[in-house]
Amino acid sequence: MSMKKKRIYHNPVGVRKSTGLLLIAPFIAGFLLFTLYPFVSSLFSGLKISEDGQLGLDNFIRIFHDKTVIRAAAVTLKYAAVLVPLKLIFSLLTAMLLNMEIKGIGVFRTIFYIPSILGANLSVVIMWQYLFTSDGLVNQLLELINLSPVSWYGQPDSALAIVVLLRLWEFGSTMVIFLAALRDIPKDYYDAASIDGCGRVRAFFRITLPLLKNVIFINLVLQTISAFQEFSAPYMITGGNPMKSTYTIGMLIYDEMFSYMNPNYANAVSWLLFIAIGLIIFIMYKLTSKFREANQ
């Protein structure tokens, strides 16, 4: 009596497929429990308009008539429009300096990256608040050059500028991405350009920028997403003041969720922010596609 042999399936490297599934099971479980489930449940929470579970679009419609949301969205847009270009320019210029082959350059690269590791933690926020108080270090330096002290926390534009400066100071991660891309550019390009009489400024616009266009776009997307999700810096430094001039969408979502105990509305605002970020990234992708695809 012949017995059928059990067929065991292997992948191309000779390992059982069941072994691969077993190894990725923790990731799948974590993704389902901590990513997919909260993602879907937040949508249903945003659609919920009554305690008995009735669903509708009332929370989403309310957003477009809520002056607080509109004001917070305007502040977030202004913040992103100022911070993102400044951070990209500053990070790229710093990366170009750190790309120079000089003695001890590794130490400088580490020093410039440290602020990104620190982030907006409590000690950094305390230091930042002291710098910009009425008798802080910044105003003391202004007085040394015969300039009037500035009420940094009392004026809307200056208060937002403090938050922008803190995030601009944390440019290390963006700089590292630029630095890695710069080091991949062959030096032969610059040598050939210099032989043809091309100066450094012209080489920057004719060689460096075109070869970095995809990396610039990646950093643009990452920093735009981060700016639109801003919460911790204005929350800890200004508390959204003065007159809600630093009150971002992230702070509004936090207040609706934990201060006003309105999770349904908070989730609706979160989903609208998610959709808005997606549309902005899509528009940026379309607007820059011709530039990024040129000379491929």
Side-chain angles (χ1 to χ4, degrees), residues 3-283:
M3 296 180 63
K4 291 183 178 180
K5 292 183 178 179
K6 187 176 180 182
R7 197 170 187 182
I8 299 175
Y9 293 92
H10 294 78
N11 64 19
V13 295
V15 180
R16 294 183 181 183
K17 291 185 177 180
S18 59
T19 303
L21 292 173
L22 182 63
L23 291 173
I24 66 172
F27 167 77
I28 295 175
F31 173 77
L32 293 175
L33 289 174
F34 302 112
T35 303
L36 185 60
Y37 173 72
F39 189 77
V40 175
S41 63
S42 68
L43 176 60
F44 281 99
S45 176
L47 292 171
K48 190 180 293 186
I49 58 175
S50 62
E51 300 242 343
D52 58 0
Q54 184 180 357
L55 302 179
L57 296 175
D58 291 12
N59 289 323
F60 290 91
I61 295 173
R62 173 187 164 189
I63 292 173
F64 296 97
H65 302 282
D66 191 335
K67 293 183 179 179
T68 304
V69 175
I70 295 172
R71 177 67 185 274
V75 171
T76 305
L77 280 170
K78 182 180 179 181
Y79 169 78
V82 173
L83 174 64
V84 174
L86 285 176
K87 198 168 188 179
L88 291 180
I89 294 171
F90 191 69
S91 300
L92 178 56
L93 293 178
T94 306
M96 292 181 66
L97 290 174
L98 296 179
N99 192 40
M100 299 172 63
E101 297 295 338
I102 59 175
K103 187 176 180 180
I105 194 66
V107 176
F108 290 100
R109 291 170 184 168
T110 303
I111 292 172
F112 278 103
Y113 188 71
I114 287 176
S116 293
I117 300 175
L118 296 176
N121 58 40
L122 185 59
S123 59
V124 173
V125 169
I126 292 174
M127 177 193 73
W128 216 255
Q129 288 176 335
Y130 170 73
L131 288 174
F132 294 96
T133 53
S134 58
D135 58 347
L137 181 61
V138 175
N139 278 338
Q140 291 178 22
L141 292 175
L142 291 176
E143 290 178 351
L144 286 177
I145 56 177
N146 297 322
L147 293 177
S148 300
V150 177
S151 177
W152 296 100
Y153 296 105
Q155 301 174 15
D157 290 338
S158 59
L160 188 63
I162 294 173
V163 181
V164 170
L165 284 174
L166 174 60
R167 289 308 187 196
L168 183 61
W169 180 63
E170 301 167 358
F171 65 94
S173 58
T174 311
M175 177 201 70
V176 166
I177 296 174
F178 277 132
L179 182 59
L182 285 170
R183 294 184 69 82
D184 284 338
I185 300 177
K187 293 183 179 179
D188 295 344
Y189 292 172
Y190 297 102
D191 293 337
S194 63
I195 293 174
D196 292 337
C198 182
R200 291 185 177 182
V201 176
R202 190 176 179 185
F204 173 76
F205 288 101
R206 293 297 182 91
I207 299 175
T208 307
L209 278 184
L211 293 176
L212 291 180
K213 55 192 173 184
N214 290 325
V215 177
I216 292 173
F217 179 74
I218 291 171
N219 274 330
L220 175 64
V221 170
L222 293 175
Q223 294 306 316
T224 300
I225 294 173
S226 177
F228 273 89
Q229 294 177 332
E230 182 60 73
F231 165 73
S232 60
Y235 179 79
M236 291 191 290
I237 294 176
T238 64
N241 295 312
M243 298 179 292
K244 300 288 186 179
S245 60
T246 58
Y247 192 70
T248 63
I249 287 289
M251 295 180 66
L252 183 142
I253 294 171
Y254 176 87
D255 284 341
E256 290 291 340
M257 179 68 76
F258 299 106
S259 299
Y260 309 139
M261 299 301 173
N262 192 358
N264 298 337
Y265 190 59
N267 281 299
V269 177
S270 299
W271 264 91
L272 201 63
L273 176 62
F274 170 73
I275 294 170
I277 292 174
L279 287 174
I280 290 171
I281 299 304
F282 177 76
I283 292 170

